[in-house]
Amino acid sequence: MQGKVYSFRNENGELVKFTVKEYLELNKNEYILMSPENDKSHIDVYKFNYSHGNEALELVEDEQELSKIKSLSKVI
């Protein structure tokens, strides 16, 4: 699925497109690494969060968790 484009609405309601760079699994958690279409040099890391039958993406900000993801990643 690398290269797939997802569209989201930001906090201002504007449509923002992200390109998938990589999918990873770590400690039974699934992660997706994406770049905004308008800044391909920037990569955000999101964790899939499954709650009450719904799927959501949660921005990973924990430095320890990010460090582990970076050690596995081929794109960051």
Side-chain angles (χ1 to χ4, degrees), residues 42-75:
H42 179 82
I43 296 178
D44 287 327
V45 179
Y46 295 89
K47 178 170 37 176
F48 284 96
N49 185 352
Y50 302 98
S51 177
H52 307 290
N54 295 319
E55 179 181 275
L57 292 177
E58 178 183 317
L59 183 63
V60 176
E61 297 181 285
D62 179 76
E63 289 300 321
Q64 191 173 20
E65 189 174 12
L66 282 171
S67 179
K68 290 177 185 176
I69 293 165
K70 286 178 183 179
S71 71
L72 290 175
S73 176
K74 296 176 183 165
V75 297

Short mmCIF file of all heavy atoms in Angstrom, two decimals, residues 42-75:
data_model
loop_
_atom_site.label_atom_id
_atom_site.label_comp_id
_atom_site.label_asym_id
_atom_site.label_seq_id
_atom_site.Cartn_x
_atom_site.Cartn_y
_atom_site.Cartn_z
N HIS A 42 8.63 15.76 4.96
CA HIS A 42 8.16 15.60 6.33
C HIS A 42 7.41 14.28 6.46
O HIS A 42 6.56 13.97 5.62
CB HIS A 42 7.24 16.78 6.70
CG HIS A 42 6.70 16.69 8.08
ND1 HIS A 42 7.42 17.09 9.18
CD2 HIS A 42 5.52 16.23 8.55
CE1 HIS A 42 6.69 16.89 10.26
NE2 HIS A 42 5.54 16.38 9.90
N ILE A 43 7.70 13.49 7.49
CA ILE A 43 7.01 12.22 7.70
C ILE A 43 6.39 12.22 9.09
O ILE A 43 7.08 12.46 10.08
CB ILE A 43 7.96 11.02 7.53
CG1 ILE A 43 8.46 10.95 6.09
CG2 ILE A 43 7.25 9.72 7.92
CD1 ILE A 43 9.45 9.84 5.82
N ASP A 44 5.09 11.95 9.16
CA ASP A 44 4.39 11.79 10.42
C ASP A 44 4.16 10.31 10.67
O ASP A 44 3.95 9.53 9.74
CB ASP A 44 3.02 12.48 10.38
CG ASP A 44 3.12 13.99 10.43
OD1 ASP A 44 4.04 14.51 11.09
OD2 ASP A 44 2.26 14.66 9.83
N VAL A 45 4.19 9.92 11.94
CA VAL A 45 3.95 8.53 12.32
C VAL A 45 2.63 8.46 13.08
O VAL A 45 2.42 9.20 14.05
CB VAL A 45 5.09 7.99 13.22
CG1 VAL A 45 4.82 6.56 13.64
CG2 VAL A 45 6.44 8.11 12.51
N TYR A 46 1.74 7.58 12.63
CA TYR A 46 0.44 7.39 13.25
C TYR A 46 0.28 5.95 13.68
O TYR A 46 0.77 5.03 13.02
CB TYR A 46 -0.70 7.73 12.28
CG TYR A 46 -0.73 9.19 11.88
CD1 TYR A 46 -0.01 9.65 10.79
CD2 TYR A 46 -1.47 10.11 12.62
CE1 TYR A 46 -0.04 10.99 10.43
CE2 TYR A 46 -1.50 11.45 12.26
CZ TYR A 46 -0.79 11.87 11.17
OH TYR A 46 -0.81 13.20 10.81
N LYS A 47 -0.43 5.76 14.80
CA LYS A 47 -0.74 4.42 15.28
C LYS A 47 -2.23 4.17 15.04
O LYS A 47 -3.06 5.05 15.29
CB LYS A 47 -0.42 4.30 16.77
CG LYS A 47 -0.75 2.94 17.34
CD LYS A 47 -0.26 2.66 18.75
CE LYS A 47 -0.28 3.75 19.73
NZ LYS A 47 0.15 3.32 21.09
N PHE A 48 -2.54 2.96 14.55
CA PHE A 48 -3.93 2.59 14.40
C PHE A 48 -4.51 2.32 15.78
O PHE A 48 -3.91 1.62 16.59
CB PHE A 48 -4.08 1.33 13.53
CG PHE A 48 -3.89 1.60 12.07
CD1 PHE A 48 -2.66 1.38 11.47
CD2 PHE A 48 -4.94 2.06 11.29
CE1 PHE A 48 -2.47 1.63 10.12
CE2 PHE A 48 -4.76 2.31 9.95
CZ PHE A 48 -3.54 2.09 9.36
N ASN A 49 -5.66 2.91 16.05
CA ASN A 49 -6.34 2.75 17.32
C ASN A 49 -7.72 2.17 17.03
O ASN A 49 -8.52 2.80 16.33
CB ASN A 49 -6.45 4.10 18.03
CG ASN A 49 -7.03 4.00 19.41
OD1 ASN A 49 -7.50 2.95 19.82
ND2 ASN A 49 -7.01 5.10 20.13
N TYR A 50 -7.96 0.97 17.53
CA TYR A 50 -9.25 0.30 17.32
C TYR A 50 -10.03 0.37 18.63
O TYR A 50 -9.62 -0.17 19.64
CB TYR A 50 -9.04 -1.15 16.91
CG TYR A 50 -8.21 -1.30 15.66
CD1 TYR A 50 -6.85 -1.58 15.72
CD2 TYR A 50 -8.79 -1.15 14.41
CE1 TYR A 50 -6.09 -1.71 14.57
CE2 TYR A 50 -8.04 -1.27 13.25
CZ TYR A 50 -6.69 -1.56 13.34
OH TYR A 50 -5.94 -1.68 12.20
N SER A 51 -11.16 1.06 18.57
CA SER A 51 -11.96 1.23 19.78
C SER A 51 -13.44 1.15 19.44
O SER A 51 -13.92 1.88 18.56
CB SER A 51 -11.63 2.58 20.42
OG SER A 51 -12.42 2.82 21.53
N HIS A 52 -14.15 0.29 20.11
CA HIS A 52 -15.60 0.14 19.95
C HIS A 52 -15.98 -0.08 18.49
O HIS A 52 -16.96 0.49 17.99
CB HIS A 52 -16.34 1.35 20.51
CG HIS A 52 -15.98 1.67 21.93
ND1 HIS A 52 -16.34 0.87 22.98
CD2 HIS A 52 -15.26 2.68 22.46
CE1 HIS A 52 -15.88 1.39 24.11
NE2 HIS A 52 -15.21 2.49 23.82
N GLY A 53 -15.19 -0.88 17.78
CA GLY A 53 -15.49 -1.19 16.39
C GLY A 53 -15.10 -0.10 15.41
O GLY A 53 -15.34 -0.22 14.22
N ASN A 54 -14.51 0.97 15.89
CA ASN A 54 -14.08 2.06 15.02
C ASN A 54 -12.57 2.06 14.89
O ASN A 54 -11.85 1.70 15.81
CB ASN A 54 -14.53 3.42 15.58
CG ASN A 54 -16.03 3.56 15.58
OD1 ASN A 54 -16.71 3.17 14.64
ND2 ASN A 54 -16.56 4.10 16.66
N GLU A 55 -12.11 2.50 13.74
CA GLU A 55 -10.67 2.61 13.48
C GLU A 55 -10.30 4.08 13.43
O GLU A 55 -10.97 4.87 12.76
CB GLU A 55 -10.35 1.93 12.15
CG GLU A 55 -8.91 1.99 11.75
CD GLU A 55 -8.67 1.31 10.42
OE1 GLU A 55 -8.49 0.10 10.41
OE2 GLU A 55 -8.70 2.02 9.40
N ALA A 56 -9.25 4.45 14.13
CA ALA A 56 -8.79 5.84 14.13
C ALA A 56 -7.27 5.86 14.06
O ALA A 56 -6.61 4.89 14.42
CB ALA A 56 -9.27 6.56 15.38
N LEU A 57 -6.73 6.97 13.59
CA LEU A 57 -5.28 7.17 13.56
C LEU A 57 -4.91 8.16 14.66
O LEU A 57 -5.53 9.20 14.80
CB LEU A 57 -4.84 7.71 12.20
CG LEU A 57 -4.96 6.77 11.03
CD1 LEU A 57 -4.56 7.48 9.74
CD2 LEU A 57 -4.10 5.54 11.22
N GLU A 58 -3.88 7.79 15.41
CA GLU A 58 -3.42 8.62 16.52
C GLU A 58 -1.96 9.01 16.25
O GLU A 58 -1.11 8.14 16.06
CB GLU A 58 -3.53 7.79 17.79
CG GLU A 58 -3.07 8.43 19.04
CD GLU A 58 -3.19 7.45 20.21
OE1 GLU A 58 -4.21 6.75 20.31
OE2 GLU A 58 -2.24 7.39 21.00
N LEU A 59 -1.68 10.30 16.22
CA LEU A 59 -0.31 10.78 15.99
C LEU A 59 0.59 10.31 17.13
O LEU A 59 0.27 10.47 18.30
CB LEU A 59 -0.29 12.31 15.92
CG LEU A 59 1.07 12.94 15.61
CD1 LEU A 59 1.58 12.54 14.23
CD2 LEU A 59 0.96 14.46 15.71
N VAL A 60 1.72 9.70 16.78
CA VAL A 60 2.68 9.21 17.77
C VAL A 60 3.61 10.36 18.14
O VAL A 60 4.31 10.90 17.28
CB VAL A 60 3.49 8.01 17.24
CG1 VAL A 60 4.53 7.58 18.25
CG2 VAL A 60 2.56 6.85 16.88
N GLU A 61 3.62 10.73 19.41
CA GLU A 61 4.46 11.84 19.88
C GLU A 61 5.44 11.39 20.96
O GLU A 61 6.36 12.13 21.29
CB GLU A 61 3.59 12.97 20.39
CG GLU A 61 2.70 13.56 19.30
CD GLU A 61 1.84 14.70 19.77
OE1 GLU A 61 0.84 14.45 20.47
OE2 GLU A 61 2.19 15.85 19.43
N ASP A 62 5.27 10.20 21.49
CA ASP A 62 6.13 9.67 22.53
C ASP A 62 7.51 9.37 21.94
O ASP A 62 7.64 8.59 20.99
CB ASP A 62 5.52 8.40 23.12
CG ASP A 62 6.39 7.79 24.19
OD1 ASP A 62 6.40 8.33 25.31
OD2 ASP A 62 7.08 6.78 23.88
N GLU A 63 8.55 10.01 22.48
CA GLU A 63 9.90 9.89 21.93
C GLU A 63 10.44 8.46 21.99
O GLU A 63 11.13 8.01 21.07
CB GLU A 63 10.86 10.84 22.64
CG GLU A 63 10.62 12.30 22.31
CD GLU A 63 10.79 12.62 20.84
OE1 GLU A 63 11.69 12.06 20.18
OE2 GLU A 63 10.00 13.43 20.32
N GLN A 64 10.14 7.73 23.04
CA GLN A 64 10.61 6.36 23.17
C GLN A 64 9.96 5.46 22.11
O GLN A 64 10.63 4.65 21.48
CB GLN A 64 10.31 5.84 24.57
CG GLN A 64 10.98 4.53 24.89
CD GLN A 64 10.80 4.15 26.35
OE1 GLN A 64 9.91 4.64 27.04
NE2 GLN A 64 11.65 3.25 26.82
N GLU A 65 8.68 5.64 21.91
CA GLU A 65 7.95 4.87 20.89
C GLU A 65 8.46 5.23 19.50
O GLU A 65 8.69 4.35 18.66
CB GLU A 65 6.45 5.14 21.03
CG GLU A 65 5.58 4.26 20.19
CD GLU A 65 4.10 4.48 20.48
OE1 GLU A 65 3.73 5.47 21.15
OE2 GLU A 65 3.31 3.66 20.02
N LEU A 66 8.67 6.52 19.24
CA LEU A 66 9.19 6.98 17.95
C LEU A 66 10.58 6.41 17.67
O LEU A 66 10.89 6.03 16.54
CB LEU A 66 9.23 8.51 17.88
CG LEU A 66 7.91 9.21 17.62
CD1 LEU A 66 8.06 10.71 17.79
CD2 LEU A 66 7.39 8.88 16.23
N SER A 67 11.39 6.34 18.70
CA SER A 67 12.74 5.80 18.54
C SER A 67 12.70 4.34 18.09
O SER A 67 13.46 3.93 17.20
CB SER A 67 13.50 5.93 19.86
OG SER A 67 14.78 5.40 19.74
N LYS A 68 11.82 3.56 18.67
CA LYS A 68 11.67 2.15 18.28
C LYS A 68 11.18 2.02 16.84
O LYS A 68 11.65 1.17 16.09
CB LYS A 68 10.71 1.44 19.23
CG LYS A 68 11.26 1.25 20.62
CD LYS A 68 10.24 0.62 21.52
CE LYS A 68 10.75 0.54 22.95
NZ LYS A 68 9.73 0.01 23.87
N ILE A 69 10.25 2.88 16.46
CA ILE A 69 9.72 2.86 15.09
C ILE A 69 10.81 3.24 14.10
O ILE A 69 10.97 2.61 13.06
CB ILE A 69 8.49 3.79 14.98
CG1 ILE A 69 7.34 3.22 15.80
CG2 ILE A 69 8.09 3.98 13.53
CD1 ILE A 69 6.23 4.19 16.07
N LYS A 70 11.59 4.26 14.43
CA LYS A 70 12.67 4.70 13.55
C LYS A 70 13.71 3.60 13.34
O LYS A 70 14.28 3.48 12.26
CB LYS A 70 13.34 5.97 14.11
CG LYS A 70 12.48 7.19 13.95
CD LYS A 70 13.15 8.41 14.56
CE LYS A 70 12.26 9.63 14.46
NZ LYS A 70 12.88 10.82 15.06
N SER A 71 13.94 2.79 14.38
CA SER A 71 14.92 1.71 14.23
C SER A 71 14.45 0.62 13.27
O SER A 71 15.25 -0.09 12.70
CB SER A 71 15.27 1.12 15.60
OG SER A 71 14.19 0.38 16.12
N LEU A 72 13.13 0.50 13.10
CA LEU A 72 12.56 -0.50 12.18
C LEU A 72 12.31 0.05 10.78
O LEU A 72 12.28 -0.71 9.81
CB LEU A 72 11.22 -1.01 12.72
CG LEU A 72 11.23 -1.88 13.95
CD1 LEU A 72 9.81 -2.17 14.39
CD2 LEU A 72 11.96 -3.18 13.67
N SER A 73 12.13 1.33 10.68
CA SER A 73 11.71 1.96 9.44
C SER A 73 12.80 1.97 8.36
O SER A 73 13.98 2.10 8.67
CB SER A 73 11.26 3.40 9.70
OG SER A 73 10.95 4.04 8.50
N LYS A 74 12.35 1.88 7.14
CA LYS A 74 13.24 1.99 5.99
C LYS A 74 13.17 3.39 5.34
O LYS A 74 13.91 3.68 4.43
CB LYS A 74 12.90 0.94 4.95
CG LYS A 74 13.12 -0.47 5.46
CD LYS A 74 12.70 -1.50 4.47
CE LYS A 74 12.87 -2.89 5.07
NZ LYS A 74 12.17 -3.90 4.32
N VAL A 75 12.25 4.24 5.85
CA VAL A 75 12.08 5.56 5.23
C VAL A 75 12.47 6.72 6.15
O VAL A 75 12.58 7.85 5.69
CB VAL A 75 10.63 5.77 4.72
CG1 VAL A 75 10.31 4.77 3.63
CG2 VAL A 75 9.62 5.72 5.84
#
